[in-house]
């Protein structure tokens, strides 16, 4: 069995002759992993911004085929094509009862050893599931985008826009761009992306997915107002993870507007000025995915979105064979790849 192993902060290794993960564990299914995408949280773990002691899995954006369905909960069967996402939660714990189903369980309980392995166990019980079936019309590399699509849908839902809204997205990585795609379908009038990284900006502009502004421009704020209104945009999505960008968000949003925090911050706020929150009567709201977005028939809403947006999603992906997985991590960190996907099969 092959796997991408993270031994210590900054120390990745490709293993080609690992032992298999063994017999099925209670409440889990066994998945033969075909592809796994690199998430920003994987990079944070690699860089030491997250604790290796606290996280027992590596890789959570994956797709593959079920080779042992266990008790077959939620209709999961042997041979079924699946991808990872939070699809089902218990509904009974304090978090679920208080509208925080995305906190029902830790992924430490759901994945072992994770998606950067040719085999992984995934929790799938009547009370909790971290996989969803995927359509036969979508390839495994694109299907690995189901979990980030789920997270982006949570961001878009938290934005709660009205048709005709003007949106500004700080950070044109995977999360910012998928959120933009979803917000377009929700009736946003204009969506503007703003980015500081020149390699990332060049890449995004080549894809022709979104109007963009270079944050390095001294008149970036004037450009935003020219493209929306002199008062600012209705909604800002902050998807960079850089605390100083919050000041930019406060500057760019109109009075009475909304700022959606879609970032994982690793630094303190420092000398951030908070007065605009009161002066502009702003609404600040967090958006933590994944979240169990289920349709009335019990199936996954993000899985349906994935099919509808697969043409656009493919533009974000750079596929790397397993032997090139270390380069995939380098390219994600440099910004030359928007979303790197490691292919195992």
């Amino acid at each position: 069995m092959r796997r991408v192993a993270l031994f210590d902060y900054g120390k990745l290794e490709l293993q080609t002759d690992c032992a298999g993960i063994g017999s099925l564990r209670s409440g889990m299914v066994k998945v033969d992993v075909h592809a796994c995408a690199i998430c920003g949280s994987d990079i944070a773990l690699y860089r030491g911004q997250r604790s290796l002691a606290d996280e027992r899995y590596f890789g959570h954006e994956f797709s593959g085929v079920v080779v042992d369905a266990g008790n077959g909960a939620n209709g999961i069967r042997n041979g079924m094509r699946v991808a990872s996402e939070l699809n089902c939660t218990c509904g009974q714990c304090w978090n679920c009862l208080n509208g925080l189903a995305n906190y029902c369980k830790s992924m430490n309980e759901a994945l072992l050893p994770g998606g950067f392995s040719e085999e992984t166990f995934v929790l799938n019980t009547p009370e909790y599931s971290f996989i969803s079936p995927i359509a036969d019309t979508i390839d495994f590399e694109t299907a690995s985008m189901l979990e980030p699509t789920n997270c982006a849908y949570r961001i878009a839902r938290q934005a709660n826009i009205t048709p005709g809204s003007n949106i500004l997205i700080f950070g044109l990585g995977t999360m910012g761009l998928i959120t933009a795609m979803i917000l377009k379908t929700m009736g946003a009038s204009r969506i503007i992306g703003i980015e500081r990284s020149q390699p990332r900006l060049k890449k995004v502009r080549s894809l022709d997915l979104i109007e963009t502004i270079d944050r390095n421009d001294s008149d970036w704020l004037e450009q935003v107002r020219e493209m929306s209104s002199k008062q600012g945009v209705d909604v800002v999505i902050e998807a960079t993870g850089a605390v100083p960008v919050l000041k930019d968000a406060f500057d760019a949003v109109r009075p009475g507007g909304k700022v959606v925090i879609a970032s994982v911050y690793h630094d303190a706020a420092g000398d951030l000025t908070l007065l605009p929150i009161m002066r502009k009567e702003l609404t600040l709201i967090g958006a933590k995915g994944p979240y169990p977005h289920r349709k009335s028939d019990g199936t996954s809403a993000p899985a349906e979105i994935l099919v509808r947006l697969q043409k656009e999603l493919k533009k974000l992906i750079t596929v790397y064979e397993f032997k090139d997985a270390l380069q995939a991590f380098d390219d994600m960190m440099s910004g030359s790849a928007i979303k790197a996907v490691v292919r195992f099969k």
Side-chain angles (χ1 to χ4, degrees), residues 243-293:
V243 173
V245 176
L246 277 174
K247 180 184 182 302
D248 293 343
F250 295 160
D251 289 340
V253 70
R254 65 164 173 82
K258 182 182 295 182
V259 178
V260 182
I261 309 298
S263 295
V264 178
Y265 295 122
H266 300 288
D267 300 315
D271 59 357
L272 178 67
T273 300
L274 301 178
L275 186 59
I277 300 173
M278 184 275 284
R279 289 292 190 197
K280 285 186 163 184
E281 293 197 345
L282 301 179
T283 298
L284 272 65
I285 187 167
K288 179 193 174 297
Y291 191 91
H293 299 289

Side-chain angles (χ1 to χ4, degrees), residues 138 142-143 145-146 149 302-310 313:
I138 196 163
T142 306
M145 299 285 276
L146 177 57
T149 297
E304 183 176 294
I305 294 170
L306 189 77
V307 173
R308 293 205 310 264
L309 296 179
Q310 62 177 306
L313 291 169

Side-chain angles (χ1 to χ4, degrees), residues 209-319:
L209 289 172
I210 187 174
E211 295 182 276
T212 59
I213 292 174
D214 187 340
R215 175 56 185 83
N216 298 292
D217 292 345
S218 60
D219 65 341
W220 70 270
L221 186 55
E222 286 74 17
Q223 293 181 53
V224 169
R225 289 171 175 165
E226 287 174 5
M227 296 169 72
S228 54
S229 75
K230 63 180 181 180
Q231 290 83 15
V233 295
D234 301 301
V235 178
V236 169
I237 310 292
E238 203 300 274
T240 69
V243 173
V245 176
L246 277 174
K247 180 184 182 302
D248 293 343
F250 295 160
D251 289 340
V253 70
R254 65 164 173 82
K258 182 182 295 182
V259 178
V260 182
I261 309 298
S263 295
V264 178
Y265 295 122
H266 300 288
D267 300 315
D271 59 357
L272 178 67
T273 300
L274 301 178
L275 186 59
I277 300 173
M278 184 275 284
R279 289 292 190 197
K280 285 186 163 184
E281 293 197 345
L282 301 179
T283 298
L284 272 65
I285 187 167
K288 179 193 174 297
Y291 191 91
H293 299 289
R294 302 181 75 181
K295 297 161 58 182
S296 59
D297 63 2
T299 59
S300 163
E304 183 176 294
I305 294 170
L306 189 77
V307 173
R308 293 205 310 264
L309 296 179
Q310 62 177 306
K311 182 178 179 180
E312 291 83 0
L313 291 169
K314 283 178 183 292
K315 294 181 179 181
L316 308 183
I317 296 172
T318 304
V319 178

